RNA sequence: GGUCCCAUCGUCUAGCGGUUAGGACGUCGGCUUCUCACGCCGAUAACGCGGGUUCGAUUCCCGCUGGGAUCACCA
């Protein structure tokens, strides 16, 4: 378990096990990037634009963002677009847009730039080339001229001789040097990893970790086309961007020793690492589309409030006693890595919905102004809607709408010219015998002195009683006449919202239906 | 298979040697009520198993079982 206060952790130096990292000290290349003031944490979110923004990724981003905001540190957004097959600019645009929608704004990143740019890996190729060259020169890495085909053959041969064995790079080029290099032939750069000993770190979440070096292969750092692979690009960037703390999913845990070895080979101090437990699907498998919406875009489109989504995600693998609901400033204040749990969990769309609903209901969590803005865009199909009506209807829909889309749908009667009758409701309450109260009610309402809920309610109640009606006998037909359906906010609120003229008009229209 | 990780209600979790094992979601009742919601009250339901350590283990240690991650010229 993690010890030490949060205040301590802010400036805590990384706690890497001391082992030799003498190789390429004091070279110009390294000194070029030293001198980042390490007093404030620098964190990053480094998505690859190979698809939509996944809610698992958002959770990772959120934890890093929260820590940056809490500590007054810097949050960097870096685009890891080295998978050229799958990366697209469209995906990048989507990711940036969703991050903004979520409110996870970044201090440095693509588009606005920053002191450590560029922030797209494909724009940093020259940098990787320099670092790779340095590593090869120092002997920490080497050129491997083995082709994919040769490797595939070796793999196949092993499969035949021992189907259960795990293939490892045979080390063909590990002990060769410049005199063996094949000019004009493509090569990859591999890290020369130690074959004995351990590599360890003190994980912010999982505590002391120790991985045997002989389980780590001579991984490829740079492809034959000169584009770096994940581990290399990641380390070069985290280092040159001055990242002090890397928060990421537990699926990256296996990459950490490799990256630590790389920092060691570079002769530089690694950042701290904190790994988050996995968010799995209902059955405990990898979270995917078949568990419902997994891309932020879908939640945005369904009208979920961003803060609600974030609140659910932060509570997944993190807790603060019994508190479930957090306003963002509260969360920033309370967030701490030490309260992160280590057990994987299962995504629950129902709980997400419930947490989001807490935000939808509470003006303290989503203030009226923000609610109205979101509601207005959800009501776009009605054109420009009356601002006053929007505010007025808020108290009646807040406890009823789980999403802005639901909110918009639940008040369509207020913004459309005529109610959109639900067929069954129309038949039951407007066409049959039950509609008989409509005409006398119309007459009564026409004479009501003040058309406000507080006066209409007692008046109509008294009138119903005096005429031998139950309030339900009056209210349900009237509700259908005014809203088109059998469920709505309180009838008298509906009347006040609609106003006398519209109310009477709709009652009249309903009466004519018979 | 190797390496690594994890283990409290169905789910998210609190708990950090002594608790009637708490909260939330869900589910089921009830109250409120002009409908639908909201709200309120109540119920349901968990420490995977076996060894230790200890006066005492959900809690500490070991083993087992069960889950998961990962082993690419993807990230």
């Amino acid at each position: 378990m993690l010890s030490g206060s949060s205040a301590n952790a802010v400036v805590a130096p990384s706690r890497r096990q001391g082992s030799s990292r003498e190789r390429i000290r004091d070279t110009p290349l390294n000194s070029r990037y030293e001198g980042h003031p390490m007093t404030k944490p620098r964190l990053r979110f480094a998505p690859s634009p190979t698809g939509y923004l996944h809610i698992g990724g958002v959770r990772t981003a959120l934890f890093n963002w929260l820590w940056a905001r809490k500590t007054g540190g810097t949050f960097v957004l870096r685009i890891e677009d080295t998978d050229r097959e799958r990366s697209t600019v469209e995906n990048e645009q989507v990711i940036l847009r969703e991050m903004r929608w979520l409110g996870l704004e970044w201090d440095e990143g693509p588009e606005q730039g920053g002191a450590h740019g560029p922030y797209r890996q494909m724009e940093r190729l020259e940098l990787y080339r320099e670092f790779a060259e340095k590593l090869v020169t120092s002997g920490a890495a080497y050129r491997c001229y083995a082709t994919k085909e040769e490797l595939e053959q070796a793999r196949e041969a092993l499969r035949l001789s021992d189907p259960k064995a795990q293939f490892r790079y045979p080390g063909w080029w590990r002990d060769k040097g410049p005199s063996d290099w094949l000019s004009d032939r493509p090569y990859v750069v591999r890290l020369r990893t130690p074959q004995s000993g351990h590599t360890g770190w003190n994980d912010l979440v999982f505590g002391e970790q120790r991985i045997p070096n002989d389980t780590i292969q001579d991984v490829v750092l740079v492809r034959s086309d000169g584009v770096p692979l994940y581990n290399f690009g990641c380390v070069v960037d985290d280092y040159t961007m001055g990242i002090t703390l890397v928060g990421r999913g537990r699926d990256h845990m296996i990459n950490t020793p490799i990256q630590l070895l790389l920092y060691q080979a570079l002769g530089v101090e690694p950042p701290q690492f904190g790994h988050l437990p996995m968010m799995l699907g209902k059955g405990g498998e990898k979270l995917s589309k078949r568990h419902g919406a997994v891309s932020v875009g879908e939640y945005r489109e369904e009208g979920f409030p961003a803060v609600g989504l974030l609140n659910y995600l932060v509570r997944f693998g993190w807790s603060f006693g019994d508190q479930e609901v957090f306003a963002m400033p509260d969360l920033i204040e309370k967030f701490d890595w030490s309260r992160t749990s280590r057990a994987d969990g299962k995504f629950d769309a129902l709980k997400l919905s419930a947490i989001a609903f807490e935000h939808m209901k509470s003006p303290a969590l989503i203030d009226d102004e923000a609610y109205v803005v979101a509601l207005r865009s959800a009501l776009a199909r009605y054109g420009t809607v009356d601002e006053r009506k929007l505010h007025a209807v808020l108290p009646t829909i807040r406890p009823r709408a789980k999403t802005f889309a639901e909110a918009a749908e639940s008040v369509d009667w207020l913004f459309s010219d005529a109610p959109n009758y639900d067929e069954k409701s129309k038949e039951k309450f407007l066409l049959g015998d039950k509609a008989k109260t409509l005409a006398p009610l119309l007459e009564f309402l026409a004479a009501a002195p003040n058309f406000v809920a507080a006066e209409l309610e007692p008046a109509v109640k008294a009138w119903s009683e005096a005429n031998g009606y139950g309030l339900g006998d009056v209210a349900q037909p009237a509700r259908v006449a005014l809203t088109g359906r059998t469920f709505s906010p309180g009838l008298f609120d509906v009347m006040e919202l609609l106003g006398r003229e519209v109310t009477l008009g709709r009652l009249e229209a309903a009466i004519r239906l018979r």
Side-chain angles (χ1 to χ4, degrees), chain A residues 83-190:
Chain A
D83 182 348
R84 289 185 297 174
E85 321 270 85
R86 299 189 296 151
S87 298
T88 68
V89 291
E90 290 74 29
N91 286 334
E92 180 189 311
Q93 285 308 305
V94 168
I95 290 169
L96 300 189
R97 193 188 69 211
E98 304 298 14
M99 287 290 285
R100 290 192 184 101
W101 175 71
L102 288 163
L104 301 179
E105 79 287 354
W106 53 96
D107 307 303
E108 297 174 20
E111 297 189 351
Q112 85 256 49
H116 306 264
Y119 293 90
R120 289 184 192 90
Q121 291 193 317
M122 287 308 284
E123 293 168 11
R124 299 168 67 82
L125 257 24
E126 180 57 21
L127 190 62
Y128 309 127
R129 201 192 53 74
E130 275 181 66
F131 274 86
E133 210 162 89
K134 201 82 220 168
L135 251 21
V136 170
T137 304
S138 75
Y142 58 93
R143 290 186 182 187
C144 169
Y145 286 86
T147 63
K148 276 182 182 172
E149 291 70 34
E150 288 171 325
L151 251 11
E152 195 39 56
Q153 272 174 28
R155 226 175 238 125
E156 189 55 33
L158 180 72
R159 221 178 343 244
L160 261 35
S161 64
D162 184 358
K164 286 185 174 170
Q166 177 61 43
F167 180 76
R168 288 174 60 101
Y169 171 67
W172 294 326
W173 290 85
R174 181 182 166 97
D175 299 317
K176 299 194 173 176
S179 56
D180 303 303
W181 290 353
L182 310 172
S183 53
D184 302 332
R185 282 267 305 276
Y187 59 88
V188 300
V189 176
R190 286 183 186 271

Side-chain angles (χ1 to χ4, degrees), chain A residues 3 10 53 58 74 97 134 140 221 247 249 298 498 513:
Chain A
S3 61
V10 175
L53 184 57
V58 172
T74 304
R97 193 188 69 211
K134 201 82 220 168
L221 264 23
E298 291 174 81
L498 250 21
L513 250 32

Side-chain angles (χ1 to χ4, degrees), chain A residues 191-321:
Chain A
L191 181 65
R192 184 174 277 125
T193 56
Q195 297 181 301
S196 62
H198 290 78
T199 298
W201 75 98
N202 190 349
D203 196 276
L204 243 20
V205 175
F206 286 90
E208 287 297 339
Q209 301 297 310
R210 227 168 93 90
I211 279 79
N213 288 335
D214 61 12
T215 62
I216 302 171
Q217 299 200 48
D218 282 2
V219 293
V220 174
L221 264 23
V222 184
R223 277 182 268 240
S224 51
D225 63 1
V227 177
L229 243 29
Y230 170 71
N231 278 309
F232 188 55
C234 181
V235 165
V236 170
D237 288 344
D238 283 341
Y239 168 54
T240 56
M241 290 180 177
I243 300 304
T244 61
L245 195 168
V246 173
R248 65 195 353 175
R250 188 170 66 79
D251 49 338
H252 280 289
M253 194 104 96
I254 192 66
N255 291 316
T256 306
I258 297 171
Q259 297 188 2
L260 249 10
L261 254 16
L262 260 170
Y263 282 102
Q264 207 173 100
L266 256 17
V268 301
E269 200 67 20
Q272 285 188 287
F273 290 95
H275 291 88
L276 268 28
M278 302 264 78
M279 188 158 69
L280 305 169
K282 224 178 175 65
E285 65 291 307
K286 208 172 159 142
L287 184 58
S288 67
K289 305 108 255 159
R290 40 177 291 266
H291 300 100
V294 288
S295 88
V296 226
E298 291 174 81
Y299 288 98
R300 181 176 41 70
E301 281 161 17
E302 285 178 33
F304 277 84
V307 284
L309 178 59
L310 294 177
N311 192 156
Y312 171 76
L313 291 175
V314 80
R315 278 283 290 120
F316 198 102
W318 181 85
S319 60
F320 193 83

